[in-house]
Amino acid sequence: MPLFQRVLTKIEVKDDGVADREKRINLDTRPLEPHRRTFGPWQFVRLWVITGSFNIGGWTTGSSLIALGLNVWQAMLTVILGNLIVGLLCICSGAPGAKLFLACIWFSTQVFWGGQCVKVFLTALWPSFANVNTPLANGTMTTGDFASFIIFTLLYLPLCWIKPEKYKVPFMISCILVIPTIFVSLIWFTATAKGAGTLVHNVSSLAGITQATGSRLGWMMVLGICTNISSISVHIFVQSDYTRYARKPKDQILAQLVMVPLGTIVVALIGIICTSCAAQLFPEQEGTLLWAPYDLFSALQEHYHNSPRSRAAVAFGILSFMVAQFGQVVANNGVSAGIDLSALMPRFFTIRRGMLLMSCLAFTIQPWQLLNGASKFLTVLGGYGVFLGPMTGIYFADYFLLRQRQIKLTDLYDSSPRSIYWFNSGVNWRPFVAWVMGVWINLPGFATFVNYGTAKTLTGWSELYDISYPLGLTISVLVYMLLNKLAPVRGLGEVDDLDYFGTFGPAVTEGQSVEEEDVEAEAVYGGTAGMKGIEMEKRG
């Protein structure tokens, strides 16, 4: 046997007792059996607490909006409106439950933030660690940043061995640590500043930021709303990676309808207020927007001259954010990226292997180049809206409008012309065309924002970019449906006649009628399960 073939055989995913359908499926990509669907309503609440709101991403989305020239109250309004929309989008995106380059960027971003938490934690323990500051990467990071990035990576890697259906305890630990920290931070900053800080009405005291007024204020608020949507657009797009673990279809609905907007709104508003208070409390940071919690805690320790009390407060506070980042990296970005890779190459990838590959790629993305300031962070978020909005639109159009929530599960795992998802030699050109049409219209405005921020606009195009997410989503939906009208696909409405994967069988014997089971099967897995056929098979 040739050496290359022996290597491929060696690294193949082991069978685990699952019929692999010619290596097109493995344990992580197959539809889940009842005993693996462990997420109830409270698990989804904790999922969103850690991966959607009570973390650095939830904090910085609101506080970074000040860089657009919005004061505290204006930024708060955009947060509230944006996240009410996000809640509805997440429910729609999670319905089928039961992407890869952008996922890699967001994964590396979360690892970088975790590394910054490690840096602040080590500086709280040993203030001399702040002197590990030799510039690297053209001044966008230091040796201390890079060392902390590596340490955080080594700390979260063991967590990759925990299966997603076993996340209950890690989520609980993270919630117990990070929720009190965020509310205590709000109390301390507002009590010490005796109010909401100096940025409540005007942000012109910050270097390079001018208070938005007139028509510019209106467009900046629109951009702020869309930025809130874009900040969580990756999570919107990969909702079915988590809702597939739902015990019942309805378990995800209330948790996401309430917790998605409420949790994110609360944390983003706390981030905005604490950033405003810091501008008043830390005069030595005059002109600097302390938009990230790790910068905020670092400034607090510096302001109190490394006193024991300040170091203890910073150490405990930043430790909770670091634990929350473990959840962001592993449970949020790691799971979705791992499922993507496992679906693309089930012969060689599992969720765990996908996480490990993403951990390696995080170094090549160089997130320190992307996150060097609030303005650059907003640019990164804008990019997500431009590219993921149309992808989400195609997703919605195909599942809800074209297929009417009917999916033939077995054909999803059949890469041959027999499958109704084979299209033309295994390629469906319609979503690609619809995606391009949804993206290109936002590119001129996006390019202008990348180069000049809000200082310069391109008439007409910049305004289109300000609404990039809903605009791209809407255009892609319309174009995708039109293309399918002009060039119809085969197999619409087809579903399996039997439950070939054993996903529903036990539920029929527990007092649940066939009709009830069919409704649940359709809501979770996108198609009827053929319960009558299963019952006949059992009788036989």
Side-chain angles (χ1 to χ4, degrees), residues 249-282:
K250 63 183 179 181
D251 285 348
Q252 63 113 359
I253 295 177
L254 185 60
Q256 301 198 134
L257 186 62
V258 175
M259 196 60 209
V260 171
L262 180 61
T264 309
I265 287 170
V266 168
V267 177
L269 297 188
I270 290 175
I272 292 170
I273 293 173
C274 290
T275 299
S276 176
C277 292
Q280 172 184 331
L281 296 176
F282 309 143

Side-chain angles (χ1 to χ4, degrees), residues 76-208:
M76 284 182 176
L77 181 59
T78 66
V79 168
I80 293 171
L81 295 177
N83 283 283
L84 289 175
I85 298 172
V86 165
L88 297 175
L89 290 173
C90 284
I91 291 175
C92 294
S93 182
K99 29 134 159 109
L100 187 59
F101 178 67
L102 290 175
C104 186
I105 294 176
W106 196 237
F107 185 95
S108 64
T109 297
Q110 300 298 336
V111 177
F112 177 76
W113 281 341
Q116 291 299 293
C117 291
V118 171
K119 179 183 177 181
V120 174
F121 181 72
L122 293 177
T123 304
L125 297 181
W126 303 287
S128 59
F129 189 77
N131 299 324
V132 185
N133 58 359
T134 303
L136 299 174
N138 297 320
T140 57
M141 69 179 307
T142 66
T143 48
D145 293 325
F146 192 59
S148 300
F149 188 85
I150 295 174
I151 293 171
F152 182 78
T153 300
L154 296 175
L155 289 174
Y156 77 73
L157 282 179
L159 301 177
C160 297
W161 268 257
I162 302 177
K163 291 185 177 297
E165 54 263 40
K166 305 293 185 181
Y167 282 164
K168 180 178 179 179
V169 173
F171 281 167
M172 180 63 73
I173 294 173
S174 296
C175 290
I176 291 173
L177 289 175
V178 75
I179 292 176
T181 296
I182 288 178
F183 283 104
V184 168
S185 297
L186 172 66
I187 294 170
W188 186 88
F189 274 98
T190 53
T192 307
K194 294 181 173 58
T198 59
L199 306 181
V200 173
H201 302 294
N202 196 298
V203 297
S204 299
S205 60
L206 297 171

Side-chain angles (χ1 to χ4, degrees), residues 101-102 104-110 112-113 137 140-141 291 294 362 364-381 384 446 450:
F101 178 67
L102 290 175
C104 186
I105 294 176
W106 196 237
F107 185 95
S108 64
T109 297
Q110 300 298 336
F112 177 76
W113 281 341
T140 57
M141 69 179 307
W291 61 289
Y294 47 81
T364 65
I365 295 297
Q366 301 182 52
W368 43 86
Q369 301 276 9
L370 304 174
L371 301 170
N372 193 21
S375 297
K376 284 192 175 182
F377 176 63
L378 291 175
T379 302
V380 173
L381 294 184
Y384 284 117
F446 177 55
V450 169

Side-chain angles (χ1 to χ4, degrees), residues 227-367:
T227 297
N228 276 279
I229 301 174
S230 297
S231 70
I232 207 163
S233 57
V234 174
H235 210 142
I236 293 173
F237 189 70
V238 301
Q239 271 302 287
S240 58
D241 291 342
Y242 308 99
T243 55
R244 69 194 295 258
Y245 292 97
R247 291 199 297 257
K248 298 178 182 179
K250 63 183 179 181
D251 285 348
Q252 63 113 359
I253 295 177
L254 185 60
Q256 301 198 134
L257 186 62
V258 175
M259 196 60 209
V260 171
L262 180 61
T264 309
I265 287 170
V266 168
V267 177
L269 297 188
I270 290 175
I272 292 170
I273 293 173
C274 290
T275 299
S276 176
C277 292
Q280 172 184 331
L281 296 176
F282 309 143
E284 64 276 8
Q285 305 288 338
E286 184 178 0
T288 302
L289 180 63
L290 299 173
W291 61 289
Y294 47 81
D295 287 336
L296 200 66
F297 284 123
S298 181
L300 187 152
Q301 181 176 333
E302 180 183 341
H303 178 74
Y304 289 100
H305 307 292
N306 295 322
S307 67
R309 292 176 63 183
S310 68
R311 289 167 55 193
V314 169
F316 283 111
I318 206 63
L319 180 62
S320 68
F321 275 102
M322 184 168 67
V323 172
Q325 283 306 109
F326 290 148
Q328 274 287 77
V329 171
V330 178
N332 185 0
N333 301 280
V335 168
S336 61
I339 288 179
D340 287 346
L341 287 166
S342 187
L344 285 172
M345 292 176 283
R347 182 181 175 186
F348 301 108
F349 277 98
T350 61
I351 293 177
R352 181 189 305 155
R353 290 184 180 184
M355 290 183 188
L356 297 177
L357 176 61
M358 295 298 287
S359 299
C360 297
L361 294 178
F363 288 84
T364 65
I365 295 297
Q366 301 182 52

